[in-house]
Structure formats: C-alpha cells, structure tokens
Amino acid sequence: DIQMTQSPSSLSAFVGDRVTITCRATQNIYNYVNWYQQKPGMAPKLLVYAASTLQPWAPSRFSGSGSGTDFTLTISALQAEDFATYYCHQTFHTPYTFGLGTKVEIK
Amino acid sequence: QVQLVQSGNEVKSPGASVKVSCKASGYSFTNYGVTWVRQAPGQGLEWMGWITTYNGNTNYAQKFHDRISMTADTSTGTAYMELRSLRPDDTAVYYCARVQLAAMLDHWGQGSLVTVSS
C-alpha cells in the first residue's frame, strides 16, 4: 500500500500567517493527490484535486502544489474560518490512502 | 443540487452486521461511483472501497475484504455498505462520497455513526 506521510500533525498560527502542510508518498503518484478540509462534526470537503486545482468554492488563499512524491497545501493568509483538519489523499493506486491529517488551530 | 443522504446512527453488538444506506439525488446516479470512508472517534479518514454504480463492480480495501459488501440499487439511486462480524474497533462514523474524475470525492453524505458495544 502507498503510505502518505503528512506533516505537521498539528499547528497553531495567527490570522494572516502563511501556513504550509506537506504530504510525502512512498512512491511516485504523479499528481494523484487531493486535499480535504474537515471541520468538527462535519463531513470532509474537497478542497484541491489533482494536486493543484482548487475547487470553485475554495478561497484563492488556498493552493496546492507538487508531483511525484512530495505535495504541499498552502494557505497564504490564514483566516479564522480556516480552523479545521486537512487531509491529503492519494488516488493513484488502491487502497486510496489518506494522510493522518493536520489540525490547524488559530492562535 | 447534489445530495447524498445517509441512514441514521446504529448501535450494534459485537459479531453483528450493519448496513448503511446512501441515497443520491441531484445527478445521474449511474454516471458516478460511490466510495465509503470511515472515521473512528478522534481519528483520521480510512478508505474502505468503492462501487461502480452502473455495473456493480467493487474494489475493497484488503483490510475489509472478507467482511464488507457494497451494492447499488439503480432503481432508487441508493448505495449500500454492509459490514459483518462487527468488532468494537469498527465504531466509527461511516461516510459515503461521490467519486469524480481520478477518484476525487466531490460530494459527501452527512455520515452515519455506528457504535459497536456489548
């Protein structure tokens, strides 16, 4: 199975800060990575697909990048409503494994 | 609009089975697959498998292979996930999600909590 190592597991940042979350795959997965945002008590929401394409609902402060084994989700200027847990998800080969998540807290 | 509405929460005894439903609306059901993902309390997301709704083909995570069944009723636009031989560590919220291109999950159900306890 392809493992997705996501880091950090949690972070605390100020509104306006730039935040970066990374995921590393155990093999080349090209751009078959999606990112999800999950708020407490809610279902996850697709945020970025194919490594770098933003969903229409997502604010432009979110961006995704990477290919091969290393991927990044960036929030350019953190807002209070971005408090959530973020997951990467590889869809190159089944089982389609998730990273363990990054919990973003607002200072 | 696209909606996936799941069945209610369940409490089951160890060894029992549970069948969770996911009724789709707002799109052509057979044009998209359905994936099932679960989340244990306070834990991350776990991919369980998916079903191609137009022909019923399935792909299960090996971890569940011998005790899971996914089906789709095209007449009602409803997907089902049955998990057998339940254990306490199967306690989780179970989500269905619509499968889009490259297996991205663009719409999710609200989740169904399954509690396994004696």
Side-chain angles (χ1 to χ4, degrees), chain A residues 32 34 36 38 42-44 46 49 55 87 89 91 94-96 98 100, chain B residues 37 39 43-47 50 59 61 95 102-106 108-109:
Chain A
Y32 286 84
N34 309 311
Y36 295 88
Q38 185 180 32
M42 305 293 288
L46 179 64
Y49 64 93
Q55 275 283 80
Y87 294 93
H89 183 214
T91 57
T94 58
Y96 294 148
F98 289 91
L100 293 181
Chain B
V37 172
Q39 186 170 37
Q43 302 301 308
L45 303 170
E46 182 173 29
W47 185 87
W50 79 346
N59 186 320
Y95 293 102
M104 64 177 173
L105 309 176
D106 66 342
W108 293 63

Side-chain angles (χ1 to χ4, degrees), chain A residues 3-78:
Chain A
Q3 306 303 316
M4 300 295 286
T5 302
Q6 188 173 342
S7 61
S9 57
S10 66
L11 65 91
S12 181
F14 290 102
V15 169
D17 281 353
R18 182 181 183 89
V19 168
T20 299
I21 299 167
T22 63
C23 256
R24 173 164 288 176
T26 51
Q27 67 178 73
N28 183 357
I29 56 172
Y30 301 92
N31 70 336
Y32 286 84
V33 164
N34 309 311
W35 290 91
Y36 295 88
Q37 178 192 66
Q38 185 180 32
K39 296 188 175 183
M42 305 293 288
K45 289 180 67 175
L46 179 64
L47 182 61
V48 171
Y49 64 93
S52 61
T53 304
L54 206 60
Q55 275 283 80
W57 69 266
S60 58
R61 63 181 178 272
F62 290 92
S63 63
S65 64
S67 66
T69 59
D70 294 312
F71 302 88
T72 299
L73 177 71
T74 300
I75 309 172
S76 61
L78 192 67

Side-chain angles (χ1 to χ4, degrees), chain B residues 48-61:
Chain B
M48 302 180 74
W50 79 346
I51 181 167
T52 306
T53 52
Y54 77 89
N55 64 7
N57 284 352
T58 54
N59 186 320
Y60 302 140

Side-chain angles (χ1 to χ4, degrees), chain B residues 54-107:
Chain B
Y54 77 89
N55 64 7
N57 284 352
T58 54
N59 186 320
Y60 302 140
Q62 185 62 36
K63 173 179 180 178
F64 304 104
H65 191 78
D66 58 346
R67 60 190 189 103
I68 195 170
S69 296
M70 296 180 187
T71 55
D73 183 343
T74 58
S75 67
T76 62
T78 304
Y80 298 89
M81 187 282 300
E82 181 180 36
L83 192 62
R84 300 177 291 275
S85 303
L86 289 168
R87 307 184 287 252
D89 63 357
D90 291 317
T91 295
V93 175
Y94 290 76
Y95 293 102
C96 63
R98 189 178 81 163
V99 181
Q100 253 281 18
L101 298 171
M104 64 177 173
L105 309 176
D106 66 342
H107 290 275

